[in-house]
Amino acid sequence: MGDQSPVDPSKPVYVWQQVADWIARRIETGELQAGARLEGERELAEQVGVAVGTVRRAVEDLRERGLVVTLPAKGTYIAEPPNS
């Protein structure tokens, strides 16, 4: 990721949406492979410099998009692409 934060508070887009889009791009580019475990909410929040609740909302959005699945007490994983 480098020093560039995926979040720009000056953009007219919710911060949680920017975080969700950043994770979605990481999935699209293959940086995050299907079946891989997504970093924990706290770890992602520290990486990006946002609140844990913001990351939680972003992950919720990714679940709604079908990009990730969350297994209670196990973590959040990158979903298999729908065409596989």
Side-chain angles (χ1 to χ4, degrees), residues 33-57:
Q33 300 283 321
R37 188 172 186 279
L38 190 63
E39 297 101 320
E41 290 175 349
R42 272 196 185 84
E43 189 180 336
L44 278 171
E46 283 178 21
Q47 261 184 38
V48 183
V50 298
V52 172
T54 301
V55 170
R56 192 167 292 142
R57 179 63 184 91

Side-chain angles (χ1 to χ4, degrees), residues 16 24 27 54 59 63 78:
W16 64 261
I27 294 169
T54 301
V59 170
R63 268 197 307 270
I78 308 308

Side-chain angles (χ1 to χ4, degrees), residues 13-36:
V13 178
Y14 288 118
V15 172
W16 64 261
Q17 204 166 13
Q18 293 181 49
V19 174
D21 290 344
W22 171 66
I23 295 170
R25 279 193 304 278
R26 291 173 67 200
I27 294 169
E28 287 166 16
T29 62
E31 183 184 336
L32 296 172
Q33 300 283 321

